[in-house]
Amino acid sequence: MKVDFIIVGHGLASVAVVEHLRKHNSSFVVFSDENPNSSSKVAAGLYNPVTGRKMKQTWLADQLFPYLEEFYGDLEKSLNAEFLHKKAIYRPFLSLEDQNDWMAKQNTDNYFIKKTFTQSQYPKFIADDFGGLLLNRSGFLDVKEMLDQHKEKLIEDGQFINEKLEYEKLEVKENQIFYNDIESEKIIFCDGPLSHNPFFDWLPTAPVKGEILHIKMGETLPEDVIFNRGVFLVKNPQHDYYRVGATYEWKNLDYEPTEKAKKQLTDKLDDLLNVNYTIVDQVAGIRPASKDRRPLIGNHPERKNVFIFNGLGTKGVSLAPYFACQFVNSIFNLEKLNDEVNINRYYPLYSS
């Protein structure tokens, strides 16, 4: 088999890269051994343009968020599926001081702030005594549904190989790459946080373990809004439970749920919710992230046909489409890759 690209991995990063390669009429094959605990599989898929305790607009929000809705919307149409759920995010104020700070800022032009409330809007469901903010261009991606539908299409088109690519079997030459019976011009690694990839093991990664609770409630929360303060609450569209998350752990990088994380999440959930709930499950995944919290994208320093698209961290849903477009365009010399994500910023760390 001859292809233009070998793609390693099948998560958010891979889907975004593959779909932009299609626009260039490139041929490809995707290798994935389908890790059920990958961050893409367990993620709630929230996308939120205004984050953090001070509710600042996220990096490149003006470019990222319009494009992600266009990208995933087009992908839904091509796969005849539904996985992008556009919903307003409601972030309750923590105190009167918190409210006053935002009232002082309300004259500032922030496209992503839909409305500011100074009185409780959802007292039956949550603690929002001081009102809160309602955000635009937000929602969640049902990542597992998207990946399942995308994989089905790849299999149907003969573009998916359900096995782990073994690095030692790769034969990388100047203009060709050989792997078993496959001949390719280029290879792109989208292989997650703990792959121990020998081509890119010199990059300073900082994988992050995250845990999420699945809960059921006697009350059904409003369908048109996502609550987010300390933790987020996202209804799973395929089941009757809500996802609650997420935690951040940089040391114990395994896939085992912990009591520590459960307590962190339930403490914050108890502060937010005014209704009773039951925990039905707890899941863990590991996010591929970098030490400077910027994606790891670009070309190997010596092997000009070897690439990486990785390190999207906690904001993969919003980062993947925009930077996959830029990355693929850069491969075809149509666009320059953003300096903040280009791995050439770490070339001094590389030694052949």
Side-chain angles (χ1 to χ4, degrees), residues 193-209:
L194 300 176
S195 61
H196 307 294
N197 186 322
F199 295 96
F200 295 103
D201 56 5
W202 47 275
L203 288 172
T205 58
V208 185
K209 180 179 179 179

Side-chain angles (χ1 to χ4, degrees), residues 50-120:
V50 183
T51 59
R53 289 183 61 189
K54 296 186 178 181
M55 295 297 286
K56 291 185 177 180
Q57 189 167 303
T58 61
W59 178 60
L60 293 181
D62 290 329
Q63 290 80 40
L64 298 178
F65 286 80
Y67 189 71
L68 79 86
E69 291 186 341
E70 176 188 338
F71 172 79
Y72 293 121
D74 288 345
L75 188 56
E76 284 182 315
K77 292 175 185 175
S78 70
L79 296 176
N80 192 26
E82 183 179 351
F83 37 77
L84 181 67
H85 302 271
K86 301 176 184 179
K87 294 182 183 290
I89 290 178
Y90 182 66
R91 187 266 193 190
F93 292 129
L94 294 170
S95 64
L96 188 60
E97 181 182 14
D98 193 16
Q99 180 199 97
N100 289 337
D101 284 346
W102 272 102
M103 294 308 294
K105 296 176 183 177
Q106 68 176 351
N107 291 327
T108 61
D109 183 22
N110 190 328
Y111 170 76
F112 297 106
I113 305 296
K114 184 175 183 179
K115 196 168 183 180
T116 304
F117 299 98
T118 57
Q119 295 180 333
S120 175

Side-chain angles (χ1 to χ4, degrees), residues 24 297-298 307 323-338 342:
H24 293 270
I297 303 173
F307 299 84
F323 281 112
C325 178
Q326 192 178 92
F327 167 60
V328 170
N329 283 342
S330 74
I331 291 176
F332 292 101
N333 298 314
L334 299 174
E335 187 174 357
K336 181 178 180 293
L337 196 57
N338 186 307
N342 197 326

Side-chain angles (χ1 to χ4, degrees), residues 25-311:
N25 297 315
S26 297
S27 59
F28 55 84
V29 63
V30 176
F31 278 83
S32 177
D33 62 344
E34 297 296 277
N35 177 3
N37 298 111
S38 71
S39 60
S40 291
K41 286 290 180 68
V42 304
L46 195 70
Y47 64 95
N48 181 357
V50 183
T51 59
R53 289 183 61 189
K54 296 186 178 181
M55 295 297 286
K56 291 185 177 180
Q57 189 167 303
T58 61
W59 178 60
L60 293 181
D62 290 329
Q63 290 80 40
L64 298 178
F65 286 80
Y67 189 71
L68 79 86
E69 291 186 341
E70 176 188 338
F71 172 79
Y72 293 121
D74 288 345
L75 188 56
E76 284 182 315
K77 292 175 185 175
S78 70
L79 296 176
N80 192 26
E82 183 179 351
F83 37 77
L84 181 67
H85 302 271
K86 301 176 184 179
K87 294 182 183 290
I89 290 178
Y90 182 66
R91 187 266 193 190
F93 292 129
L94 294 170
S95 64
L96 188 60
E97 181 182 14
D98 193 16
Q99 180 199 97
N100 289 337
D101 284 346
W102 272 102
M103 294 308 294
K105 296 176 183 177
Q106 68 176 351
N107 291 327
T108 61
D109 183 22
N110 190 328
Y111 170 76
F112 297 106
I113 305 296
K114 184 175 183 179
K115 196 168 183 180
T116 304
F117 299 98
T118 57
Q119 295 180 333
S120 175
Q121 299 298 301
Y122 302 96
K124 180 180 178 181
F125 305 105
I126 64 167
D128 70 332
D129 296 345
F130 305 100
L133 295 174
L134 200 63
L135 304 179
N136 270 323
R137 282 284 165 95
S138 55
F140 72 95
L141 181 74
D142 187 345
V143 182
K144 185 178 184 304
E145 178 68 11
M146 182 196 72
L147 292 177
D148 288 346
Q149 295 291 338
H150 193 259
K151 175 185 172 183
E152 191 174 304
K153 173 63 173 172
L154 292 176
I155 292 172
E156 182 182 312
D157 294 343
Q159 297 170 317
F160 189 88
I161 297 178
N162 189 12
E163 66 181 64
K164 183 177 182 179
L165 183 137
E166 298 178 46
Y167 303 112
E168 62 273 14
K169 289 185 178 180
L170 276 171
E171 186 180 354
V172 179
K173 296 187 175 182
E174 186 175 350
N175 297 309
Q176 291 172 303
I177 294 171
F178 297 94
Y179 186 83
N180 293 338
D181 61 345
I182 298 172
E183 180 183 342
S184 175
E185 292 183 10
K186 300 176 178 67
I187 187 167
I188 301 173
F189 290 100
C190 309
D191 47 354
L194 300 176
S195 61
H196 307 294
N197 186 322
F199 295 96
F200 295 103
D201 56 5
W202 47 275
L203 288 172
T205 58
V208 185
K209 180 179 179 179
E211 298 189 44
I212 290 177
L213 299 179
H214 296 169
I215 68 168
K216 289 187 176 182
M217 290 179 277
E219 298 277 355
T220 300
L221 300 185
E223 294 280 334
D224 61 337
V225 68
I226 296 169
F227 296 117
N228 186 8
R229 189 189 73 192
V231 290
F232 57 73
L233 273 165
V234 176
K235 178 74 161 60
N236 186 308
Q238 309 297 328
H239 302 281
D240 61 348
Y241 63 80
Y242 291 81
R243 290 182 175 128
V244 179
T247 60
Y248 301 86
E249 170 63 52
W250 287 268
K251 292 182 180 178
N252 300 312
L253 298 178
D254 57 38
Y255 295 104
E256 294 299 318
T258 64
E259 287 298 319
K260 176 184 175 183
K262 181 190 288 187
K263 187 175 187 310
Q264 288 176 357
L265 293 172
T266 54
D267 283 352
K268 292 176 180 178
L269 188 58
D270 292 343
D271 287 341
L272 177 62
L273 273 183
N274 283 339
V275 299
N276 294 324
Y277 64 89
T278 303
I279 298 172
V280 295
D281 199 7
Q282 182 177 351
V283 295
I286 300 176
R287 312 173 185 101
S290 65
K291 288 192 175 179
D292 64 1
R293 298 188 180 183
R294 293 289 183 260
L296 299 169
I297 303 173
N299 198 180
H300 188 276
E302 291 184 342
R303 300 183 181 275
K304 299 309 176 184
N305 53 355
V306 176
F307 299 84
I308 187 171
F309 189 89
N310 210 327

